[in-house]
């Protein structure tokens, strides 16, 4: 695996790889890699012969009181895991300047109305920061394919919309959620939780499953949402939101909406916010 830490090294490496046949797939990450990230690489490999992963903890997507400073960083381990996964190129910028150069104006993207709903309501500006960095990575790397995880459902919808207008040549892949044995969706922030808290966190997935089953049994949506909120509170998972939306994240208020849809939930446990969803 070739490790690049500056734009110059990145460009040189990409130039050399452009002479090799096959497609280039990008997996953008913030590091602290787990099996969820590695599954993105596995999926990418089915569609592309050259894989580039980026590790960059993007300051623009963290609010003032959020965990930018304490966000788990585990460079050595990440590099080992990527080597084992036969990733071809890693771009791990030596500093933020290699992504957002002081010689160019940062093109700040606006995530619009959807960007201020659901997670965006709790984290104002978060999705503007995500879109801004992903757009920059797309500009720097110009991959054929980019892969994002379904756990961050709202993120992947917003990135899809952005890419459709700014980078229509890039195909986006959505990788299924990877869960631990007890059902908790893998996330770098799970590191903040104790074993006991992770067991409690499993109730978010249970709640999503129950809600899907109830909806399929044609129970009233209002009742399902009320039950879900009470269930989560009873398990000491403080709900930030729990909603049903269509697969494009438009509001669904009908009890028997037939199209693709998704229950999405966000809960806080011991100051750590966890998100999860089930699309059906
Ligand atoms: O999902 C993430 O890890 C980040 O939001 C992303 C897409 C790498 C942008 O920083």
């Amino acid at each position: 695996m070739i490790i690049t830490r500056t734009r110059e090294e990145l460009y040189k490496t990409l130039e050399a790889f452009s002479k090799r046949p096959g497609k280039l797939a990008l997996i953008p990450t913030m590091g602290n890699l787990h099996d969820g990230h590695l599954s993105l690489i596995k999926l990418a490999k089915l569609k592309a012969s050259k894989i580039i992963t980026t590790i960059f903890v993007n300051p623009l997507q963290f609010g003032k009181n959020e965990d930018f400073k304490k966000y788990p960083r585990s460079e050595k381990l990440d590099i080992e895991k990527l080597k084992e996964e036969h990733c071809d190129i890693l771009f791990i910028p030596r500093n933020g300047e290699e992504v957002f150069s002081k010689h160019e104006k940062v093109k700040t993207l606006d995530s619009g109305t959807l960007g201020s709903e659901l997670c965006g309501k709790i984290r104002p500006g978060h999705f503007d920061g995500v879109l801004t960095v992903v757009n920059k990575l797309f500009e720097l790397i110009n991959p054929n394919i980019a892969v994002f995880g379904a756990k961050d459902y709202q993120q992947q919808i917003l990135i899809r919309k952005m890419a459709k207008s700014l980078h229509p040549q890039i195909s986006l892949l959505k990788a299924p959620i990877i869960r631990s044995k007890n059902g908790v969706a893998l996330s770098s922030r799970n590191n903040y939780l104790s074993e006991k808290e992770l067991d409690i966190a499993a109730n978010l997935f249970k709640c999503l499953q129950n809600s899907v089953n109830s909806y399929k049994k044609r129970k009233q949506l209002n009742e399902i949402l009320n039950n879900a909120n009470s269930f989560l509170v009873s398990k000491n998972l403080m709900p930030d939101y729990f909603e049903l939306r269509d697969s494009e994240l438009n509001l669904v208020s009908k009890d028997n909406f037939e199209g693709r849809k998704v229950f999405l939930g966000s809960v806080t446990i011991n100051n750590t916010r966890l998100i999860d969803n089930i699309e059906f």
Side-chain angles (χ1 to χ4, degrees):
M1 180 172 75
I2 299 176
I3 301 177
T4 61
R5 294 191 184 267
T6 64
R7 277 192 187 192
E8 206 187 333
E9 288 166 9
L10 173 69
Y11 288 151
K12 272 194 190 148
T13 309
L14 288 173
E15 165 71 23
F17 269 74
S18 70
K19 300 195 172 90
R20 298 190 191 177
K23 290 187 174 157
L24 175 70
L26 163 67
I27 294 96
T29 80
M30 299 208 298
N32 194 34
L33 303 179
H34 50 66
D35 285 351
H37 295 110
L38 303 182
S39 77
L40 307 185
I41 298 184
K42 290 189 174 88
L43 180 67
K45 282 197 165 163
L46 300 177
K47 306 278 175 186
S49 55
K50 299 173 278 186
I51 307 291
I52 175 165
T53 302
T54 59
I55 296 181
F56 177 57
V57 184
N58 167 34
L60 300 185
Q61 68 190 78
F62 289 81
K64 270 195 190 131
N65 301 318
E66 289 187 350
D67 54 345
F68 174 67
K69 281 210 174 115
K70 74 163 193 180
Y71 193 84
R73 289 156 170 93
S74 50
E75 189 180 312
K76 264 194 181 166
L77 264 177
D78 289 351
I79 290 176
E80 273 171 33
K81 288 179 185 173
L82 290 173
K83 281 184 181 163
E84 266 172 37
E85 220 49 63
H86 301 289
C87 174
D88 298 296
I89 310 170
L90 167 63
F91 177 46
I92 177 162
R94 61 179 175 179
N95 57 38
E97 270 278 293
E98 299 298 334
V99 178
F100 300 113
S101 161
K102 64 176 176 226
H103 302 296
E104 54 194 36
K105 203 166 171 285
V106 178
K107 192 153 102 206
T108 307
L109 298 196
D110 182 346
S111 56
T113 316
L114 179 56
S116 54
E117 296 174 9
L118 300 164
C119 287
K121 205 167 178 177
I122 307 151
R123 307 184 70 186
H126 167 69
F127 288 116
D128 296 350
V130 170
L131 293 186
T132 300
V133 77
V134 173
N135 176 53
K136 187 77 237 175
L137 293 173
F138 282 0
E139 282 176 1
L140 293 174
I141 295 166
N142 193 21
N144 306 102
I145 294 169
V147 191
F148 296 90
K151 184 184 75 78
D152 298 299
Y153 196 96
Q154 188 176 9
Q155 166 172 285
Q156 64 80 28
I157 291 282
L158 286 163
I159 291 173
R160 198 170 282 279
K161 287 182 196 289
M162 178 276 283
K164 199 174 165 194
S165 71
L166 299 182
H167 304 275
Q169 77 287 5
I170 303 178
S171 312
L172 298 198
L173 296 181
K174 178 168 76 171
I177 300 176
I178 304 294
R179 300 179 180 282
S180 63
K181 272 196 191 130
N182 64 359
V184 176
L186 297 193
S187 158
S188 299
R189 288 194 171 93
N190 292 354
N191 279 19
Y192 298 149
L193 301 180
S194 65
E195 283 297 315
K196 200 173 158 208
E197 287 165 337
L198 282 169
D199 277 340
I200 297 174
N203 288 299
L204 175 56
F205 181 48
K206 271 192 198 140
C207 185
L208 288 162
Q209 285 176 311
N210 292 342
S211 303
V212 170
N213 291 337
S214 302
Y215 196 85
K216 285 183 177 165
K217 286 184 191 146
R218 302 202 168 250
K219 278 208 178 153
Q220 284 208 327
L221 180 57
N222 261 344
E223 195 187 324
I224 297 173
L225 297 178
N226 286 340
N227 288 344
N229 278 291
S230 314
F231 175 79
L232 292 171
V233 171
S234 76
K235 300 292 178 191
N236 286 324
L237 293 172
M238 292 311 135
D240 302 305
Y241 63 78
F242 193 93
E243 291 196 22
L244 178 70
R245 298 257 176 149
D246 77 8
S247 57
E248 289 295 308
L249 292 183
N250 301 305
L251 287 166
V252 170
S253 45
K254 283 204 300 189
D255 287 332
N256 48 5
F257 176 75
E258 296 292 347
R260 289 289 301 160
K261 50 205 166 287
V262 54
F263 272 108
L264 310 108
S266 162
V267 294
T268 301
I269 171 168
N270 194 10
N271 291 326
T272 298
R273 223 169 56 77
L274 302 175
I275 56 171
D276 200 353
N277 67 79
I278 298 183
E279 190 183 350
F280 62 111

